[in-house]
Amino acid sequence: GRDIAAAVRAGNALHVYDNGHMLNHELFNRAGGLALVARLGITRPVVDNVVNRVDKGVANPAPRADGSAFDIAFARHVIDQAAIIPGDYLVIGSVSGRSPFIVELARYARSRGARTIALTALRYARVLPPLHPDGQLLYQACDDVIDIQTEVGDAALAVEGLEEKLAPTSGVLAAVAMWTLEAALAEALLAQGIQPTVFRSVNYPDGPERLQAARDRFQKLGY
């Protein structure tokens, strides 16, 4: 957490993008969470335009088997449009870290001067073939890696009579890893003389007022 704390002290930010199943809700505007953690929200464009032209003698175009060119272009567009500047940190969560979009997000962010952290499952990722044209997985494209240590395939509970395991662990383990990182970051900031803004539960009697006060403090100080 010391390096991220130094970046925050210098006016940089910590961004999180999660392609998994929990962090997009768990880390943000959350009781006990740091206000400074910024959610990188991404909505992929979707085109829904099914037309049957059989009677006109025109066949519908076949779906593209390889969308990696679009994924790469879209990832670069995201970083170009995001409020990420050189010196910022970007945590990218993906259990397998396999998709071209995720990999390019990390590669392009690094090329723009951000420091990247992969939140991924190394045991799982290392048995998968990459899909990015340059042959990289997320953990290979980032500066640092946090291994959430899920099993291959994610699910962990074998039940007699079922072919597939139950109970994926990546969501819980990713949340534990990120809350641990936030705690280390808070301690490092305090050691550097900075008291970060922490959200309090809105369910206290004065919860809404305290929440607004925390947001106002963060807007004023940036941490």
Side-chain angles (χ1 to χ4, degrees), residues 44-73:
R44 294 179 67 87
V46 176
V47 177
D48 186 4
N49 186 212
V50 179
V51 177
N52 188 343
R53 302 186 190 276
V54 175
D55 293 340
K56 300 294 184 182
V58 180
N60 288 322
R64 295 183 57 184
D66 179 12
S68 62
F70 172 80
D71 284 342
I72 289 170

Side-chain angles (χ1 to χ4, degrees), residues 62-105:
R64 295 183 57 184
D66 179 12
S68 62
F70 172 80
D71 284 342
I72 289 170
F74 184 53
R76 293 177 180 178
H77 170 74
V78 166
I79 297 301
D80 285 339
Q81 296 298 312
I84 298 175
I85 64 173
D88 282 1
Y89 275 76
L90 172 60
V91 176
I92 303 174
S94 173
V95 183
S96 68
R98 189 183 182 209
S99 79
F101 173 75
I102 287 292
V103 174
E104 190 62 25
L105 202 67

Side-chain angles (χ1 to χ4, degrees), residues 166-213:
L166 297 174
T169 60
S170 61
V172 173
L173 293 174
V176 170
M178 287 305 299
W179 285 125
T180 302
L181 177 63
E182 285 202 25
L185 174 56
E187 291 177 345
L189 286 168
L190 289 168
Q192 296 181 25
I194 295 175
Q195 183 179 13
T197 303
V198 180
F199 289 129
R200 189 183 190 191
S201 174
V202 73
N203 292 307
Y204 281 101
D206 62 347
E209 293 80 11
R210 291 286 292 269
L211 177 61
Q212 188 57 52

Side-chain angles (χ1 to χ4, degrees), residues 136-147:
Q136 285 188 315
L137 291 130
L138 179 64
Y139 77 90
Q140 298 167 317
C142 288
D143 297 294
D144 300 294
V145 177
I146 298 174
D147 181 11

